[in-house]
Amino acid sequence: MTSTIDPKAIGKPAPKRRHVRSLTGYTPETDESGKEKWPRGDEKVWKESMRELDKDVPSIAKSIVNQVQTSLARQAYNLDNLGAYQAAALAVRDNLILNWNDTQLHYTRKEPKRAYYLSLEFLMGRTLDNALLNLGLKQPYNEAVNKLGFALEDLLEQERDAGLGNGGLGRLAACYLDSSASQELPVWGYGLRYKYGIFQQHISPEGAQLEAPDPWLEHDNPWELPRLDVTYEVRFYGHAERLDNMKAVWSGGQEVLAMAYDTMIPGYETKSTNNLRLWESKPKRGFDLNSFNAGDYERAVESSNSAAAITSVLYPNDHTTFGKELRLKQQYFWTAASLADIMRRFKNLDKPITEFPDYVAIQLNDTHPTLAIPELMRILVDEEDVPWDLAWQITTNTFFFTNHTVLPEALEKWPVPLMSHLLPRHMQIIFDIVSFILCILKKFPGDRDKLARMSLIEEGYPQQVRMANLACIGSRKVNGVAELHSELVKTTIMKDFVDFHGVSKFSNVTNGITPRRWLDQCNPGLSQLISDTLKLPKAVFLKDLYKLEGLLKHVDDPNFQKKWAVIKQSNKERLARYVEATLGLKINTHAMFDVQIKRLHEYKRQTLNIMGVIHRYLTLKDMTPAERKKVNPKVVFFAGKAAPGYYVAKLTIRLIVNVARIINADPDTKDLLQLYFLPDYSVSLAEVLIPASDISQHISTAGTEASGTSNMKFCLNGGLLVGTVDGANIEIAEEVGENNVFFFGHLTPAVEDLRYQHMYHPVPVEQKCPALARVLNEVSAGRFGDGGVYEPLLNTIRQHDHYLLTEDFDSYIEALKLVDQAYQDRTEWIKKSIRTTAKMGKFSSDRAIVDYAQEYWNIESTKPE
């Protein structure tokens, strides 16, 4: 006799045991008197052997060396900067784990209501510097590293930015996680662990953007903990068979495993350490040995490759059918794994399912996680036997939705055939929700247009599922991210829902940034000057940004002005060293630094900026040498990535690069105007660019930018703002004073009328805006390389001009002239800079996250013991 096995089971995972206890927190058993029982072994030996945080230089050095010897298996003789960084990072992570364990145990014991932040992006930046700052251990670690023969600054440069995000959406999520921990709020983040990030940006010899995989994990990630015990099965395809009571059985299709990776998020000046849980996709059945032995090598790894693709890349190009399906797969995989994990944690509380919203709040960061709504309905109805009406009540009291755009084309929609094929049960649930909502919408009898606009299904061929409508209907509250944006949400894209639900469901939480990273970490010189001037420890104003208003008393102090200017100059020289090291180019650090750093998109109008640069260049060429001597020297910086399938945005990059080649080589103008495109934009690059800026540009077409957060970062670091009356620009101007902001352009109410005129009563560019027409003609004529290449980009301006460059260009040029005039008076300019920094208290993410906690999630601070 011997043991036997079904051949079909070879390669399949063993049956899963019930997930009784997770590594992410549990409570000790107690005896009859309520005293905690030690679980195993000699309690005294255990407690004497447990380590404390390493806080002094000797213990920190010992911890780093221990990591070198054991984790890296290296010695002092063969340790380079990368190895030293890895050892130091692992030593810091060990400290974080101790606080993390205490925090999770505290949450498990106290059973507070928790909030979960679902975001497809988390643009975290480098972790080591931020962790040391929040732990308050930067100085002792610096000394310990020096004693071991290394410089902390060199080690910090070894860390790659985590490839988990691209733009403001992900950076906002990262700030909110930092602030949640700093405010001691029980908040977890859920996202995806992208193996190759979005992409690594390169520039071809012709100036075009090239995309390569971002190898951010090639040296492993010392900050993450693989959770081998936390896995969930996620199903795709198959079929859903209806049962009674609106239940169904979903079976067949493809199953993949979601495995958790945890990253600790330390709070500032607190023991509180929260968690970012990222999911990696793995095959449920891995390598097919039978196919391999039969010589079918592709089939042997087919299931592995199919599963791994789900978390390979952020935002796969959706211009193909495969790309669309992969994006939808990503979104469901992430939301299904996250909901399973949240539900498991709730069920460990042994509370009735009806109390789910009393212990769980889920924030949807934009429409990407909207599938969480039908997924929770599926869990409640199909797995927990909750009646449909009660399940809907639980669901709509659990979710909260942050809208990040009013651009109709940016509101996510998915073809019904695709969703029916990939997620058949969820398509059923969405149709059930449609039927349920239609019964309620009887209060609008006969208003078919309103019903059509509010429907979750957009008619057409094929039909489309409107994710923004689903997020709105399925959430308890909906918020915008700036006062203007929130008002536009209520009066445009969500107007029908405001009529239906009432205005109280819709509100505003203006975005915020964490002052720890975006002041102290990226601009330590300025942070120290503020501390010395206000005679306050940094911790005071880094946790209460309103304290910066104390700087207003020193605005007219010449000595303080001089110190302020010295720090700005030092930051410019740091940026110049970076550009010389990476691009081999020298920069005039005594010129005005003008910066625009954003993902490339037509509504953000990098095209307007580059047209303005060309106009400035042509104006300089028209001047006499004597006239040029009166001109204010200027250096313009661009940085940002264009989506791989966004042709017009990629043409904009190509134009910027080729204009820079001409301008920077022109002996007539190169001392007065320089232009640089810095490739592969990241948080770390932003930390160098932002403190160096004199002005920054936030020039979206009015009514298109939801909020923006880079505008807040620039202003916090004393850079003045050039912008349209849009997004958070408005609130910044209200705080710092409009005389410290350079506004231009048409206002939001005029935009639609202007677009109507462009469509039905077009006026040639030459007639409407001769200055811009000249710029366009110079580009077409080949002054900056083959003009024919740029015709598709130029035609977006000449024909229809949806983003109103022809309407705003003259006003834009006048605003830049005002900037030049103001910069000539260096003393007054420095005063404007100081006033701007002093009035940025409103824009802390600490303020924003407290608003969410109190007004939306109804959660409270809870401090680990």
Side-chain angles (χ1 to χ4, degrees), residues 377-662:
M377 287 293 292
R378 185 193 68 80
I379 293 170
L380 293 173
V381 173
D382 295 352
E383 297 181 4
E384 300 299 325
D385 292 321
V386 177
W388 204 96
D389 288 8
L390 178 57
W392 184 244
Q393 181 182 336
I394 292 170
T395 297
T396 53
N397 280 296
T398 297
F399 289 103
F400 301 83
F401 170 47
T402 298
N403 171 277
H404 283 274
T405 184
V406 292
L407 300 178
E409 65 271 21
L411 297 175
E412 269 195 318
K413 300 173 187 174
W414 292 107
V416 168
L418 172 60
M419 189 169 288
S420 299
H421 173 59
L422 187 67
L423 303 170
R425 177 58 181 138
H426 296 75
M427 197 65 252
Q428 287 179 350
I429 292 171
I430 289 170
F431 279 126
D432 289 343
I433 295 172
V434 170
S435 300
F436 180 75
I437 297 300
L438 283 175
C439 293
I440 301 174
L441 289 176
K442 289 178 179 177
K443 67 187 292 184
F444 299 117
D447 195 341
R448 294 186 177 183
D449 289 342
K450 183 184 283 285
L451 295 179
R453 290 191 300 268
M454 294 179 70
S455 175
L456 303 188
I457 307 299
E458 180 178 275
E459 296 303 325
Y461 185 79
Q463 292 177 312
Q464 304 275 343
V465 181
R466 293 167 167 158
M467 303 309 280
N469 287 15
L470 177 56
C472 178
I473 288 171
S475 296
R476 184 172 178 176
K477 280 198 169 186
V478 178
N479 72 279
V481 291
E483 288 175 3
L484 173 64
H485 169 243
S486 297
E487 192 60 32
L488 289 173
V489 167
K490 289 187 286 188
T491 57
T492 58
I493 59 172
M494 295 293 173
K495 182 180 185 304
D496 296 316
F497 295 96
V498 173
D499 294 340
F500 175 64
H501 291 288
V503 74
S504 61
K505 179 170 178 170
F506 301 85
S507 55
N508 174 64
V509 180
T510 298
N511 284 347
I513 58 174
T514 169
R516 273 79 65 183
R517 182 180 290 272
W518 295 111
L519 178 57
D520 192 65
Q521 190 173 324
C522 74
N523 202 344
L526 184 60
S527 181
Q528 189 61 53
L529 175 62
I530 292 169
S531 178
D532 294 343
T533 303
L534 299 181
K535 296 180 171 56
L536 290 174
K538 289 183 181 180
V540 174
F541 61 83
L542 292 179
K543 292 198 81 168
D544 181 3
L545 213 51
Y546 282 105
K547 290 286 193 293
L548 295 183
E549 291 191 8
L551 295 174
L552 296 174
K553 299 176 184 176
H554 304 273
V555 167
D556 296 316
D557 179 355
N559 187 45
F560 180 62
Q561 294 168 6
K562 183 178 179 181
K563 291 177 181 178
W564 191 274
V566 166
I567 290 168
K568 178 63 72 175
Q569 184 62 30
S570 173
N571 288 326
K572 287 184 173 183
E573 289 166 2
R574 179 178 63 162
L575 174 57
R577 290 193 296 271
Y578 172 87
V579 172
E580 186 170 6
T582 55
L583 302 181
L585 301 170
K586 290 188 178 295
I587 289 178
N588 176 11
T589 59
H590 295 288
M592 175 197 294
F593 279 19
D594 178 340
V595 184
Q596 187 181 21
I597 47 174
K598 298 175 183 292
R599 65 184 173 90
L600 271 288
H601 197 290
E602 288 168 275
Y603 86 83
K604 292 180 182 290
R605 299 206 294 190
Q606 286 93 345
T607 309
L608 176 62
N609 190 346
I610 188 58
M611 296 301 165
V613 172
I614 296 171
H615 177 271
R616 189 181 187 93
Y617 171 66
L618 297 176
T619 302
L620 286 169
K621 292 292 286 182
D622 291 341
M623 290 180 177
T624 65
E627 289 173 326
R628 288 180 195 144
K629 288 181 180 179
K630 301 176 183 178
V631 171
N632 179 49
K634 187 176 188 181
V635 182
V636 180
F637 297 93
F638 286 88
K641 296 179 179 180
Y646 197 166
Y647 182 62
V648 169
K650 294 174 79 170
L651 275 182
T652 304
I653 292 176
R654 182 167 180 164
L655 179 60
I656 293 167
V657 172
N658 286 307
V659 170
R661 287 174 175 160
I662 299 300

